[in-house]
Amino acid sequence: MAPLIMISSCFVWNLFMVLIGVSVSVPVEAKSWLKAHATFYGANQSPISLGGACGYDNTFHAGFGVNTAAVSTMLFRGGEACGACYQVICDYRVDPKWCLRRRSVTVTATNFCPPNNQGGWCDPPHHHFDMSAPSFFRIARQGSEGIVPVLYTRVPCKRRGGVRFTLRGQSNFNMVMISNVGGSGDVKAVSIKGSRGRSSWLPMHRNWGANWQSSVDLRNQRLSFKLTLADGNTLQFLNVVPSSWRFGQTFSSRNQFS
């Protein structure tokens, strides 16, 4: 029988840190790591208000907390990235002055970092994260007022509680903001169904960000939703909204993507 070789966790971690500094895309635990850069929102700006182009009025209310980021054009995908999660590591090998070694943070995409068409970091083809200050300083040193190199990978979103549906609009214009989505986090398709008669699933269309719309009057009906994420996973949320609902209310389901 061959001898059993014990490998310490410290050795594995050091090997990991060497590998991610060598290549643009490195398979680590079946993940693909890509190069990008990161900055941070103004330190005095409240991180809970950074819902921006995704339409999350309050990132705590949406279930995302303070670890959020605005992402560049290449990542935003016209709003489809809203709610997606990324693990971000400051690239210590490239910038040991400002990067904290062996630190990572998982951020949720909640906003869009617009291009200025003058070669800025958010212009295509750059991959860029404009992070909230609390998340940025988990991987970079205080005093880093510029741009730091990072490596990132998509990771599953871990959410507390169920998917949330915030009802907006008026009469026959229904707009629903969908938040606190687990799994891949990014919603690809939404259908809605009322409780009256033989109602069938009606496709909704992305209005902007995490806001989806339909043009059917579904007032005074229980509402059900069917969500499909970008990775193809689909869940139904039956009668998640009671018939007594009003515009402006938020309802949380018991179901969640894993």
Side-chain angles (χ1 to χ4, degrees):
M1 181 180 293
L4 180 64
I5 301 175
M6 301 298 293
I7 301 177
S8 71
S9 60
C10 182
F11 173 82
V12 173
W13 175 257
N14 287 335
L15 179 61
F16 161 71
M17 293 304 294
V18 171
L19 287 173
I20 64 173
V22 172
S23 176
V24 173
S25 179
V26 180
V28 180
E29 298 179 356
K31 297 176 183 177
S32 295
W33 294 86
L34 302 173
K35 285 187 176 181
H37 286 82
T39 50
F40 68 96
Y41 286 97
N44 295 326
Q45 187 171 1
S46 172
I48 68 173
S49 65
L50 304 181
C54 288
Y56 305 124
D57 294 336
N58 181 311
T59 61
F60 273 99
H61 181 259
F64 305 137
V66 299
N67 291 329
T68 61
V71 295
S72 60
T73 303
M74 300 298 292
L75 295 172
F76 192 66
R77 308 193 313 277
E80 188 176 303
C82 292
C85 295
Y86 302 84
Q87 185 179 2
V88 182
I89 300 172
C90 198
D91 196 342
Y92 182 84
R93 183 177 180 273
V94 175
D95 190 352
K97 179 179 179 180
W98 294 116
C99 288
L100 293 173
R101 194 172 187 177
R102 303 181 183 179
R103 300 286 183 87
S104 70
V105 64
T106 298
V107 296
T108 300
T110 61
N111 205 348
F112 176 50
C113 184
N116 61 19
N117 299 317
Q118 297 177 357
W121 286 106
C122 289
D123 287 1
H126 297 302
H127 290 201
H128 188 80
F129 294 85
D130 196 10
M131 303 165 68
S132 66
S135 60
F136 183 84
F137 289 117
R138 288 186 62 180
I139 61 171
R141 299 183 189 280
Q142 293 279 349
S144 174
E145 303 299 332
I147 294 171
V148 296
V150 298
L151 297 135
Y152 77 93
T153 186
R154 282 291 305 273
V155 293
C157 299
K158 298 179 180 179
R159 306 299 186 198
R160 293 184 178 181
V163 175
R164 300 174 188 174
F165 302 87
T166 299
L167 304 177
R168 299 170 173 172
Q170 55 186 352
S171 65
N172 63 342
F173 176 73
N174 299 293
M175 191 160 68
V176 181
M177 190 268 284
I178 302 171
S179 62
N180 201 48
V181 180
S184 71
D186 41 1
V187 179
K188 182 73 173 180
V190 179
S191 296
I192 190 172
K193 179 169 65 172
S195 58
R196 287 182 183 169
R198 298 181 179 179
S199 180
S200 58
W201 289 110
L202 304 172
M204 302 187 77
H205 306 281
R206 191 189 303 275
N207 186 290
W208 61 284
N211 293 280
W212 295 78
Q213 74 173 67
S214 72
S215 299
V216 179
D217 189 350
L218 296 173
R219 289 175 295 175
N220 303 312
Q221 299 184 55
R222 296 188 305 275
L223 302 182
S224 300
F225 296 91
K226 181 168 62 175
L227 272 57
T228 299
L229 304 187
D231 63 5
N233 286 335
T234 299
L235 271 182
Q236 294 184 11
F237 302 83
L238 301 178
N239 299 318
V240 67
V241 176
S243 59
S244 58
W245 65 268
R246 295 291 182 270
F247 291 114
Q249 292 181 308
T250 297
F251 298 90
S252 182
S253 70
R254 295 182 179 180
N255 295 353
Q256 183 57 275
F257 292 91
S258 58

